[in-house]
């Protein structure tokens, strides 16, 4: 989650309300093999729980684990006179990050177990698929604002590994690029906007481009508790694909400067989007 929440920063002892932002420290000497000292760590920022990624990177030489404890998706499709209910459960999908440079981190995303069940209510019957999901590698590069300032910008290219096809994997190499701009707002609010281009498989030999746009608004509720609201949309150039929109809400709770819990739910605004996606997760920096 994009973290400009001043209350959350206060909880980590990094910023006081109304304090003037000091000049960003020089961290150019730190790298993967020369970790950033604890005293110079920026406030922990995570790419979860909202779907808008954070423009901040993990400090050089530091590791961060972000994981869903549980992620469930339900979608009922009644288009074309049909009635199909799809339910998907992801168990412990994880994003493992490591800071390579003060403004660059490398991420490995793994779906250890995915279970999908499809029920066709118009034609009685169901189909269930389960197994190991996808692996994706991402590289986040921050261009400015990593250690302070009213705006922050980062670019994140990514690629999904071409694991062998299975009931829950398409076996194709897919990838894309993400652009994230974060900015401060009045009255303690923070916001981020994201534009993403995904180049994906569209059946045997076919390719499609998906265009994702999102905006999130966050605010602290207490010194440790924060909340956000978000609008997330997907547009595709694949034939027959309809525009999708979701309205998302969630909470974060800082257990410490290096550990955060979260929970929330994404709600489908359009009929083509999943109906609802509840989740709960944890993030830990080392």
């Amino acid at each position: 989650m994009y973290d400009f929440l001043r209350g959350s920063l206060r909880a980590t002892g990094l910023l006081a309300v109304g304090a003037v932002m000091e000049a960003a420290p020089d961290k150019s000497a730190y790298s993967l093999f020369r970790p950033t000292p604890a005293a110079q760590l920026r406030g922990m920022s995570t790419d979860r729980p909202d779907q808008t990624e954070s423009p901040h990177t993990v400090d050089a030489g530091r590791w961060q684990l972000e994981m869903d404890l549980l992620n469930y998706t339900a979608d009922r499709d009644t288009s074309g006179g049909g009635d199909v209910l799809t339910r998907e459960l992801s168990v412990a999908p994880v994003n493992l990050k490591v800071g390579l440079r003060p403004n660059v981190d490398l991420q490995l995303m793994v779906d250890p177990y995915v279970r999908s069940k499809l029920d066709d209510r118009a034609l009685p019957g169901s189909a269930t698929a389960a197994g190991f999901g996808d692996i994706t590698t991402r590289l986040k590069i921050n261009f400015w604002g990593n250690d302070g300032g009213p705006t922050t910008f980062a670019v994140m290219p990514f690629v999904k590994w071409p694991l062998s096809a299975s009931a829950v994997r398409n076996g194709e190499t897919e990838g894309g690029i993400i652009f994230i701009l974060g900015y401060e707002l009045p009255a303690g609010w923070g916001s981020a906007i994201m534009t993403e281009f995904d180049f994906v498989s569209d059946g045997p030999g076919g390719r499609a481009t998906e265009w994702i746009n999102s905006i999130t608004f966050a605010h602290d509720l207490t010194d440790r508790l924060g909340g956000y609201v978000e609008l997330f949309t997907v547009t595709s150039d694949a034939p027959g694909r309809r525009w999708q929109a979701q309205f998302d809400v969630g909470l974060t709770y800082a257990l410490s400067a290096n550990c955060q819990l979260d929970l929330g739910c994404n709600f489908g605004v359009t009929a083509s989007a999943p109906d609802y996606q509840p989740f709960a997760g944890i993030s830990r920096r080392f």
Side-chain angles (χ1 to χ4, degrees), residues 25-42 58-62 99-104 147:
D26 181 8
K27 298 183 179 181
S28 58
Y30 306 124
S31 66
L32 174 62
F33 302 107
R34 188 182 180 189
T36 307
Q40 293 191 41
L41 291 178
R42 65 182 66 99
V58 176
D59 277 287
R62 296 291 177 157
L100 303 181
R101 297 290 302 162
N103 68 322
V104 180
D147 288 286

Side-chain angles (χ1 to χ4, degrees), residues 71-73 86-91 111-119 126-133 167-168:
N71 191 310
Y72 177 78
T73 302
T86 302
R87 290 165 288 182
E88 183 173 291
L89 176 67
S90 295
V91 179
D111 285 322
Y113 180 79
V114 179
R115 185 178 186 273
S116 180
K117 184 176 181 181
L118 185 150
D119 289 304
S126 64
T128 301
F132 188 91
V168 294

Side-chain angles (χ1 to χ4, degrees), residues 76-108:
R76 185 178 181 184
D77 184 1
T78 57
S79 62
D83 190 356
V84 178
L85 176 63
T86 302
R87 290 165 288 182
E88 183 173 291
L89 176 67
S90 295
V91 179
V94 63
N95 184 4
L96 179 62
K97 307 178 179 181
V98 60
L100 303 181
R101 297 290 302 162
N103 68 322
V104 180
D105 69 34
L106 180 66
Q107 308 183 8
L108 183 68

Side-chain angles (χ1 to χ4, degrees), residues 236-254:
S236 174
D237 64 3
R241 298 286 179 87
R242 295 171 294 165
W243 180 68
Q244 298 181 23
Q246 291 178 295
F247 177 74
D248 311 332
V249 295
L251 297 170
T252 61
Y253 185 79

Side-chain angles (χ1 to χ4, degrees), residues 134 160-166 169-173:
D134 288 310
K160 180 175 74 68
W161 296 14
L163 302 181
S164 58
S166 73
R169 298 191 305 266
N170 64 12
E172 300 287 341
T173 301

Side-chain angles (χ1 to χ4, degrees), residues 1-162:
M1 179 184 178
Y2 177 62
D3 188 7
F4 268 131
L5 305 184
R6 291 186 178 272
S8 296
L9 293 174
R10 286 202 308 273
T12 64
L14 298 175
L15 186 66
V17 175
V20 177
M21 187 74 71
E22 297 181 358
D26 181 8
K27 298 183 179 181
S28 58
Y30 306 124
S31 66
L32 174 62
F33 302 107
R34 188 182 180 189
T36 307
Q40 293 191 41
L41 291 178
R42 65 182 66 99
M44 190 175 81
S45 181
T46 61
D47 285 323
R48 60 169 304 113
D50 55 359
Q51 299 188 79
T52 304
E53 311 293 359
S54 166
H56 296 279
T57 62
V58 176
D59 277 287
R62 296 291 177 157
W63 295 79
Q64 191 160 299
L65 181 72
E66 301 178 14
M67 182 176 70
D68 273 296
L69 301 174
L70 193 66
N71 191 310
Y72 177 78
T73 302
D75 181 43
R76 185 178 181 184
D77 184 1
T78 57
S79 62
D83 190 356
V84 178
L85 176 63
T86 302
R87 290 165 288 182
E88 183 173 291
L89 176 67
S90 295
V91 179
V94 63
N95 184 4
L96 179 62
K97 307 178 179 181
V98 60
L100 303 181
R101 297 290 302 162
N103 68 322
V104 180
D105 69 34
L106 180 66
Q107 308 183 8
L108 183 68
M109 304 177 70
V110 181
D111 285 322
Y113 180 79
V114 179
R115 185 178 186 273
S116 180
K117 184 176 181 181
L118 185 150
D119 289 304
D120 191 333
R121 298 183 175 185
L123 299 172
S126 64
T128 301
F132 188 91
D134 288 310
I135 298 178
T136 301
T137 300
R138 311 197 302 186
L139 186 72
K140 186 188 294 185
I141 306 167
N142 176 277
F143 286 87
W144 72 76
N146 224 7
D147 288 286
T151 64
T152 314
F153 179 73
V155 174
M156 185 159 56
F158 64 92
V159 61
K160 180 175 74 68
W161 296 14

